[in-house]
Amino acid sequence: MDHLGTGGSMDPQGALPSTASTAEGYSSPPTFKEEWLLGLRMAVPLAIAVFGFAVSFGVVARAADMGIAAPIAMSLTTFAGSAQFAAASVVGTGGGIAAAIVAAILLNSRYLPIGISVAPVMTGNALKRFFGAQLVVDESWAVGHLGEGRYSRGRLLGAGVVVYCAWVGGTAVGVLGAQYVGDPLRFGLDVVSPVLFLALLRSQISDRRALVCAILGVAIALSLTPVASPGVPLIASTVACLLGLRK
């Protein structure tokens, strides 16, 4: 999504124009508000897919006898689609709470390296960083990435707000309208998550090394999925990212 402006050069991703040059001949960097609004706009297409995915989660959670309030509260506080699906699936198939928690933790372990990567731009006091960190998810992380390990705090938080609203709203629709929605698979909502992550991956592949990492990650995940516990293939596939450490 390129947003073109009049005058000024484009930023590294070609997404946001610089502001007009000053009298000294230097261009001032985009403000936090400009970056925030850009992140918000860039995340809208992703939020549409997230909303559909959340509706599916709400239906699954209701079918797992989680009630109405619990799934919505979980989306408000957890905000982690794959982990929430795993927990609902474990509970729905008769598994214990401990098993559901372990599955969710395994799937959310990917947020440790994600959090480390964006930590330098998450400025402010402890409370501000705490609430900002809640908006760091796969989609906002991808939108906020400027390339070469650099991130825009404004884009990241703007995208996070849109995705958060879509996730919580979709969960509420799925839970409250479960009896009318029926089986979400008949709407093709089971393919929303894979397609969403493929869209995120496309924006991150900027060279041959990134492509090799992506292919290797997929190979590792697919080979382990039939034999490993939920969450393990995902974590193991991140080993492919180590190729990026090579100079």
Side-chain angles (χ1 to χ4, degrees):
M1 294 177 59
D2 290 339
H3 300 276
L4 300 178
T6 57
S9 58
M10 301 300 291
D11 72 338
Q13 285 191 328
L16 182 68
S18 302
T19 56
S21 299
T22 63
E24 291 77 11
Y26 296 99
S27 297
S28 59
T31 64
F32 173 81
K33 182 178 179 180
E34 290 173 333
E35 288 281 83
W36 188 88
L37 290 174
L38 177 61
L40 188 151
R41 294 196 300 269
M42 293 174 68
V44 169
L46 301 176
I48 295 173
V50 169
F51 182 85
F53 191 38
V55 171
S56 183
F57 165 71
V59 174
V60 170
R62 190 68 184 274
D65 294 325
M66 291 180 64
I68 294 177
I72 296 177
M74 190 179 190
S75 287
L76 283 167
T77 58
T78 305
F79 188 31
S82 56
Q84 290 180 227
F85 258 105
S89 299
V90 170
V91 172
T93 54
I97 297 299
I101 292 175
V102 170
I105 290 176
L106 284 173
L107 286 169
N108 270 0
S109 296
R110 70 187 186 279
Y111 286 119
L112 179 59
I114 286 178
I116 293 174
S117 68
V118 302
V121 300
M122 300 302 286
T123 57
N125 57 42
L127 188 62
K128 183 180 292 186
R129 293 198 305 273
F130 172 80
F131 284 109
Q134 308 313 305
L135 298 176
V136 180
V137 291
D138 303 286
E139 295 82 6
S140 61
W141 178 82
V143 170
H145 187 218
L146 300 177
E148 299 180 355
R150 298 177 299 111
Y151 295 88
S152 164
R153 177 171 171 267
R155 294 189 198 186
L156 194 153
L157 296 182
V161 168
V162 176
V163 175
Y164 180 81
C165 291
W167 180 253
V168 175
T171 299
V173 170
V175 170
L176 297 175
Q179 58 181 332
Y180 304 106
V181 175
D183 185 2
L185 296 183
R186 66 193 179 98
F187 297 107
L189 294 181
D190 55 320
V191 303
V192 169
S193 182
V195 171
L196 173 62
F197 280 99
L198 284 175
L200 295 177
L201 177 64
R202 174 64 184 85
S203 65
Q204 302 302 310
I205 298 179
S206 56
D207 53 34
R208 182 175 298 179
R209 180 178 298 177
L211 178 61
V212 172
C213 288
I215 294 174
L216 181 58
V218 169
I220 293 174
L222 290 178
S223 62
L224 291 179
T225 296
V227 297
S229 301
V232 173
L234 177 64
I235 297 172
S237 64
T238 61
V239 173
C241 295
L242 296 177
L243 290 177
L245 296 178
R246 295 181 58 190
K247 298 295 184 181

